[in-house]
mmCIF file of all heavy atoms in Angstrom:
data_model
loop_
_atom_site.group_PDB
_atom_site.id
_atom_site.type_symbol
_atom_site.label_atom_id
_atom_site.label_comp_id
_atom_site.label_asym_id
_atom_site.label_seq_id
_atom_site.Cartn_x
_atom_site.Cartn_y
_atom_site.Cartn_z
ATOM 1 N N CYS A 371 37.761 25.354 -52.241
ATOM 2 C CA CYS A 371 38.623 24.325 -51.509
ATOM 3 C C CYS A 371 40.016 24.527 -51.632
ATOM 4 O O CYS A 371 40.867 24.312 -50.632
ATOM 5 C CB CYS A 371 38.137 22.980 -52.028
ATOM 6 S SG CYS A 371 36.572 22.319 -51.751
ATOM 7 N N ILE A 372 40.488 24.901 -52.788
ATOM 8 C CA ILE A 372 41.889 25.077 -53.076
ATOM 9 C C ILE A 372 42.336 26.315 -52.155
ATOM 10 O O ILE A 372 43.477 26.190 -51.494
ATOM 11 C CB ILE A 372 42.040 25.501 -54.514
ATOM 12 C CG1 ILE A 372 42.004 24.128 -55.419
ATOM 13 C CG2 ILE A 372 43.526 25.978 -54.801
ATOM 14 C CD1 ILE A 372 41.949 24.356 -56.905
ATOM 15 N N LYS A 373 41.584 27.355 -52.016
ATOM 16 C CA LYS A 373 41.938 28.375 -51.116
ATOM 17 C C LYS A 373 42.064 27.975 -49.691
ATOM 18 O O LYS A 373 42.972 28.360 -48.955
ATOM 19 C CB LYS A 373 40.802 29.504 -51.287
ATOM 20 C CG LYS A 373 41.336 30.748 -52.059
ATOM 21 C CD LYS A 373 40.465 31.893 -51.975
ATOM 22 C CE LYS A 373 40.014 32.357 -53.429
ATOM 23 N NZ LYS A 373 38.570 32.952 -53.418
ATOM 24 N N ASP A 374 40.969 27.226 -49.426
ATOM 25 C CA ASP A 374 40.851 26.731 -48.014
ATOM 26 C C ASP A 374 42.163 25.889 -47.608
ATOM 27 O O ASP A 374 42.701 25.995 -46.559
ATOM 28 C CB ASP A 374 39.622 25.834 -47.975
ATOM 29 C CG ASP A 374 39.167 25.699 -46.538
ATOM 30 O OD1 ASP A 374 39.656 26.360 -45.689
ATOM 31 O OD2 ASP A 374 38.191 25.000 -46.362
ATOM 32 N N GLU A 375 42.528 25.009 -48.524
ATOM 33 C CA GLU A 375 43.730 24.097 -48.248
ATOM 34 C C GLU A 375 44.962 25.046 -48.172
ATOM 35 O O GLU A 375 45.892 24.739 -47.483
ATOM 36 C CB GLU A 375 43.805 23.043 -49.383
ATOM 37 C CG GLU A 375 45.019 22.112 -49.042
ATOM 38 C CD GLU A 375 45.137 20.972 -50.210
ATOM 39 O OE1 GLU A 375 44.169 20.752 -50.898
ATOM 40 O OE2 GLU A 375 46.088 20.326 -50.075
ATOM 41 N N LYS A 376 45.016 25.962 -49.138
ATOM 42 C CA LYS A 376 46.255 26.846 -49.134
ATOM 43 C C LYS A 376 46.405 27.392 -47.737
ATOM 44 O O LYS A 376 47.438 27.434 -47.114
ATOM 45 C CB LYS A 376 46.126 27.846 -50.238
ATOM 46 C CG LYS A 376 47.363 28.629 -50.474
ATOM 47 C CD LYS A 376 47.416 29.383 -51.874
ATOM 48 C CE LYS A 376 48.615 30.051 -52.024
ATOM 49 N NZ LYS A 376 49.074 30.868 -51.013
ATOM 50 N N ARG A 377 45.232 28.026 -47.253
ATOM 51 C CA ARG A 377 45.263 28.799 -46.111
ATOM 52 C C ARG A 377 45.563 27.869 -44.846
ATOM 53 O O ARG A 377 46.492 28.110 -44.019
ATOM 54 C CB ARG A 377 44.037 29.483 -45.924
ATOM 55 C CG ARG A 377 43.965 30.442 -44.730
ATOM 56 C CD ARG A 377 42.650 31.304 -44.854
ATOM 57 N NE ARG A 377 41.489 30.699 -45.520
ATOM 58 C CZ ARG A 377 40.624 29.820 -44.950
ATOM 59 N NH1 ARG A 377 40.804 29.531 -43.671
ATOM 60 N NH2 ARG A 377 39.724 29.347 -45.539
ATOM 61 N N SER A 378 44.808 26.727 -44.773
ATOM 62 C CA SER A 378 44.955 25.949 -43.606
ATOM 63 C C SER A 378 46.099 24.947 -43.563
ATOM 64 O O SER A 378 46.474 24.447 -42.462
ATOM 65 C CB SER A 378 43.678 25.252 -43.366
ATOM 66 O OG SER A 378 43.283 24.447 -44.464
ATOM 67 N N VAL A 379 46.663 24.540 -44.775
ATOM 68 C CA VAL A 379 47.662 23.495 -44.829
ATOM 69 C C VAL A 379 48.989 24.016 -45.480
ATOM 70 O O VAL A 379 50.132 24.187 -44.934
ATOM 71 C CB VAL A 379 47.261 22.290 -45.498
ATOM 72 C CG1 VAL A 379 48.316 21.218 -45.422
ATOM 73 C CG2 VAL A 379 45.913 21.757 -44.777
ATOM 74 N N ILE A 380 48.835 24.467 -46.778
ATOM 75 C CA ILE A 380 49.935 24.679 -47.540
ATOM 76 C C ILE A 380 50.939 25.848 -47.114
ATOM 77 O O ILE A 380 52.065 25.684 -46.881
ATOM 78 C CB ILE A 380 49.563 24.825 -49.122
ATOM 79 C CG1 ILE A 380 48.899 23.575 -49.619
ATOM 80 C CG2 ILE A 380 50.839 25.137 -49.926
ATOM 81 C CD1 ILE A 380 48.189 23.562 -50.909
ATOM 82 N N ASP A 381 50.236 26.995 -46.916
ATOM 83 C CA ASP A 381 50.977 28.186 -46.379
ATOM 84 C C ASP A 381 51.885 27.758 -45.166
ATOM 85 O O ASP A 381 53.030 28.110 -45.122
ATOM 86 C CB ASP A 381 50.078 29.265 -46.214
ATOM 87 C CG ASP A 381 49.611 29.876 -47.475
ATOM 88 O OD1 ASP A 381 50.249 29.620 -48.477
ATOM 89 O OD2 ASP A 381 48.645 30.769 -47.485
ATOM 90 N N LYS A 382 51.236 27.068 -44.194
ATOM 91 C CA LYS A 382 51.920 26.633 -43.032
ATOM 92 C C LYS A 382 53.090 25.789 -43.260
ATOM 93 O O LYS A 382 54.112 25.941 -42.832
ATOM 94 C CB LYS A 382 50.922 26.040 -42.114
ATOM 95 C CG LYS A 382 50.253 27.055 -41.304
ATOM 96 C CD LYS A 382 49.334 26.213 -40.254
ATOM 97 C CE LYS A 382 48.003 26.880 -40.026
ATOM 98 N NZ LYS A 382 46.975 26.152 -39.513
ATOM 99 N N ALA A 383 52.886 24.845 -44.190
ATOM 100 C CA ALA A 383 53.927 23.869 -44.413
ATOM 101 C C ALA A 383 55.191 24.466 -45.100
ATOM 102 O O ALA A 383 56.264 24.018 -45.015
ATOM 103 C CB ALA A 383 53.344 22.585 -45.168
ATOM 104 N N ILE A 384 54.795 25.429 -45.998
ATOM 105 C CA ILE A 384 55.813 26.041 -46.867
ATOM 106 C C ILE A 384 56.613 27.274 -46.408
ATOM 107 O O ILE A 384 57.675 27.586 -46.712
ATOM 108 C CB ILE A 384 55.288 26.240 -48.283
ATOM 109 C CG1 ILE A 384 54.766 24.886 -48.803
ATOM 110 C CG2 ILE A 384 56.252 26.906 -49.143
ATOM 111 C CD1 ILE A 384 55.044 24.628 -50.255
ATOM 112 N N ASN A 385 55.778 28.045 -45.552
ATOM 113 C CA ASN A 385 56.220 29.234 -45.074
ATOM 114 C C ASN A 385 57.575 29.154 -44.240
ATOM 115 O O ASN A 385 57.640 28.300 -43.423
ATOM 116 C CB ASN A 385 55.109 29.849 -44.182
ATOM 117 C CG ASN A 385 55.481 31.195 -43.870
ATOM 118 O OD1 ASN A 385 56.551 31.736 -44.194
ATOM 119 N ND2 ASN A 385 54.515 31.884 -43.192
ATOM 120 N N THR A 386 58.579 29.844 -44.712
ATOM 121 C CA THR A 386 59.923 29.597 -43.970
ATOM 122 C C THR A 386 60.155 30.594 -42.937
ATOM 123 O O THR A 386 61.165 30.512 -42.097
ATOM 124 C CB THR A 386 61.094 29.659 -45.080
ATOM 125 O OG1 THR A 386 60.787 30.690 -45.857
ATOM 126 C CG2 THR A 386 61.156 28.368 -45.800
ATOM 127 N N ASN A 387 59.303 31.696 -42.865
ATOM 128 C CA ASN A 387 59.627 32.669 -41.824
ATOM 129 C C ASN A 387 59.641 32.099 -40.434
ATOM 130 O O ASN A 387 58.876 31.145 -40.159
ATOM 131 C CB ASN A 387 58.420 33.749 -41.801
ATOM 132 C CG ASN A 387 58.443 34.366 -43.197
ATOM 133 O OD1 ASN A 387 59.342 34.335 -43.915
ATOM 134 N ND2 ASN A 387 57.334 34.979 -43.521
ATOM 135 N N ASN A 388 60.494 32.618 -39.617
ATOM 136 C CA ASN A 388 60.681 32.113 -38.240
ATOM 137 C C ASN A 388 60.961 30.587 -38.144
ATOM 138 O O ASN A 388 60.749 30.001 -37.148
ATOM 139 C CB ASN A 388 59.364 32.376 -37.409
ATOM 140 C CG ASN A 388 58.869 33.642 -37.695
ATOM 141 O OD1 ASN A 388 59.637 34.690 -37.909
ATOM 142 N ND2 ASN A 388 57.562 33.775 -37.769
ATOM 143 N N ARG A 389 61.538 29.970 -39.178
ATOM 144 C CA ARG A 389 61.767 28.509 -39.035
ATOM 145 C C ARG A 389 63.258 28.343 -39.104
ATOM 146 O O ARG A 389 63.980 28.940 -39.753
ATOM 147 C CB ARG A 389 61.182 27.777 -40.249
ATOM 148 C CG ARG A 389 59.727 27.380 -40.064
ATOM 149 C CD ARG A 389 59.599 26.228 -40.983
ATOM 150 N NE ARG A 389 58.052 26.090 -41.108
ATOM 151 C CZ ARG A 389 57.447 25.019 -41.217
ATOM 152 N NH1 ARG A 389 58.163 23.777 -41.285
ATOM 153 N NH2 ARG A 389 56.163 24.831 -41.319
ATOM 154 N N ARG A 390 63.696 27.360 -38.155
ATOM 155 C CA ARG A 390 65.092 27.188 -38.066
ATOM 156 C C ARG A 390 65.441 25.813 -38.921
ATOM 157 O O ARG A 390 66.530 25.607 -39.161
ATOM 158 C CB ARG A 390 65.570 27.231 -36.677
ATOM 159 C CG ARG A 390 65.570 28.635 -36.174
ATOM 160 C CD ARG A 390 66.605 28.835 -35.085
ATOM 161 N NE ARG A 390 65.903 28.384 -33.798
ATOM 162 C CZ ARG A 390 66.482 27.703 -32.837
ATOM 163 N NH1 ARG A 390 67.658 27.336 -33.041
ATOM 164 N NH2 ARG A 390 65.789 27.336 -31.769
ATOM 165 N N THR A 391 64.360 25.135 -39.079
ATOM 166 C CA THR A 391 64.613 23.894 -39.827
ATOM 167 C C THR A 391 63.759 23.895 -41.064
ATOM 168 O O THR A 391 62.813 24.636 -41.210
ATOM 169 C CB THR A 391 64.133 22.558 -38.903
ATOM 170 O OG1 THR A 391 62.844 22.969 -38.494
ATOM 171 C CG2 THR A 391 65.107 22.297 -37.769
ATOM 172 N N ILE A 392 64.287 23.037 -42.075
ATOM 173 C CA ILE A 392 63.496 22.937 -43.374
ATOM 174 C C ILE A 392 62.394 21.970 -43.194
ATOM 175 O O ILE A 392 62.563 20.870 -42.626
ATOM 176 C CB ILE A 392 64.598 22.434 -44.393
ATOM 177 C CG1 ILE A 392 65.747 23.402 -44.510
ATOM 178 C CG2 ILE A 392 63.969 22.198 -45.698
ATOM 179 C CD1 ILE A 392 66.850 22.923 -45.312
ATOM 180 N N SER A 393 61.244 22.272 -43.775
ATOM 181 C CA SER A 393 60.148 21.255 -43.815
ATOM 182 C C SER A 393 60.352 20.439 -45.025
ATOM 183 O O SER A 393 60.721 20.900 -45.951
ATOM 184 C CB SER A 393 58.665 22.032 -43.702
ATOM 185 O OG SER A 393 58.505 22.692 -44.909
ATOM 186 N N MET A 394 59.886 19.150 -45.014
ATOM 187 C CA MET A 394 59.813 18.317 -46.152
ATOM 188 C C MET A 394 59.092 19.079 -47.290
ATOM 189 O O MET A 394 59.419 18.939 -48.456
ATOM 190 C CB MET A 394 59.102 16.976 -45.896
ATOM 191 C CG MET A 394 60.172 16.015 -45.392
ATOM 192 S SD MET A 394 59.417 14.258 -45.716
ATOM 193 C CE MET A 394 60.565 13.407 -44.593
ATOM 194 N N ALA A 395 57.796 19.616 -46.853
ATOM 195 C CA ALA A 395 56.970 20.273 -47.857
ATOM 196 C C ALA A 395 57.738 21.359 -48.739
ATOM 197 O O ALA A 395 57.812 21.462 -49.778
ATOM 198 C CB ALA A 395 55.893 20.903 -47.166
ATOM 199 N N LYS A 396 58.539 22.064 -47.877
ATOM 200 C CA LYS A 396 59.332 23.220 -48.494
ATOM 201 C C LYS A 396 60.402 22.605 -49.383
ATOM 202 O O LYS A 396 60.654 23.140 -50.461
ATOM 203 C CB LYS A 396 59.939 24.068 -47.453
ATOM 204 C CG LYS A 396 60.830 25.170 -47.879
ATOM 205 C CD LYS A 396 59.934 26.242 -48.637
ATOM 206 C CE LYS A 396 60.799 27.466 -49.228
ATOM 207 N NZ LYS A 396 59.948 28.389 -49.794
ATOM 208 N N ALA A 397 61.162 21.546 -48.907
ATOM 209 C CA ALA A 397 62.188 20.918 -49.749
ATOM 210 C C ALA A 397 61.651 20.418 -51.063
ATOM 211 O O ALA A 397 62.168 20.807 -52.199
ATOM 212 C CB ALA A 397 62.743 19.698 -48.965
ATOM 213 N N VAL A 398 60.424 19.811 -51.021
ATOM 214 C CA VAL A 398 59.832 19.301 -52.237
ATOM 215 C C VAL A 398 59.372 20.314 -53.189
ATOM 216 O O VAL A 398 59.651 20.399 -54.412
ATOM 217 C CB VAL A 398 58.737 18.226 -51.929
ATOM 218 C CG1 VAL A 398 57.967 17.954 -53.253
ATOM 219 C CG2 VAL A 398 59.179 17.129 -51.357
ATOM 220 N N ALA A 399 58.846 21.407 -52.616
ATOM 221 C CA ALA A 399 58.335 22.485 -53.310
ATOM 222 C C ALA A 399 59.591 23.270 -54.042
ATOM 223 O O ALA A 399 59.424 23.751 -55.204
ATOM 224 C CB ALA A 399 57.416 23.573 -52.507
ATOM 225 N N THR A 400 60.591 23.376 -53.240
ATOM 226 C CA THR A 400 61.786 24.020 -53.930
ATOM 227 C C THR A 400 62.361 23.149 -55.041
ATOM 228 O O THR A 400 62.852 23.760 -56.171
ATOM 229 C CB THR A 400 62.892 24.167 -52.776
ATOM 230 O OG1 THR A 400 62.344 24.842 -51.686
ATOM 231 C CG2 THR A 400 64.041 24.969 -53.358
ATOM 232 N N ILE A 401 62.345 21.906 -54.962
ATOM 233 C CA ILE A 401 62.893 21.058 -56.093
ATOM 234 C C ILE A 401 61.988 21.206 -57.267
ATOM 235 O O ILE A 401 62.463 21.324 -58.426
ATOM 236 C CB ILE A 401 62.903 19.544 -55.562
ATOM 237 C CG1 ILE A 401 63.857 19.336 -54.521
ATOM 238 C CG2 ILE A 401 63.110 18.642 -56.871
ATOM 239 C CD1 ILE A 401 63.832 17.964 -53.832
ATOM 240 N N ALA A 402 60.670 21.235 -56.987
ATOM 241 C CA ALA A 402 59.746 21.402 -58.046
ATOM 242 C C ALA A 402 59.980 22.831 -58.735
ATOM 243 O O ALA A 402 59.927 22.840 -60.079
ATOM 244 C CB ALA A 402 58.230 21.344 -57.489
ATOM 245 N N GLN A 403 60.015 23.787 -57.980
ATOM 246 C CA GLN A 403 60.204 25.152 -58.489
ATOM 247 C C GLN A 403 61.524 25.250 -59.361
ATOM 248 O O GLN A 403 61.592 25.722 -60.428
ATOM 249 C CB GLN A 403 60.278 26.053 -57.270
ATOM 250 C CG GLN A 403 60.035 27.513 -57.611
ATOM 251 C CD GLN A 403 60.185 28.224 -56.191
ATOM 252 O OE1 GLN A 403 60.854 27.847 -55.337
ATOM 253 N NE2 GLN A 403 59.437 29.348 -56.127
#
Side-chain angles (χ1 to χ4, degrees):
Chain A
C371 291
I372 289 174
K373 255 190 232 150
D374 203 3
E375 182 176 349
K376 188 164 181 314
R377 190 168 26 82
S378 55
V379 181
I380 298 175
D381 285 346
K382 277 186 214 158
I384 298 223
N385 190 351
T386 42
N387 301 342
N388 318 323
R389 275 198 195 219
R390 287 204 278 139
T391 49
I392 300 169
S393 73
M394 268 201 198
K396 179 71 182 175
V398 170
T400 306
I401 294 166
Q403 197 182 30

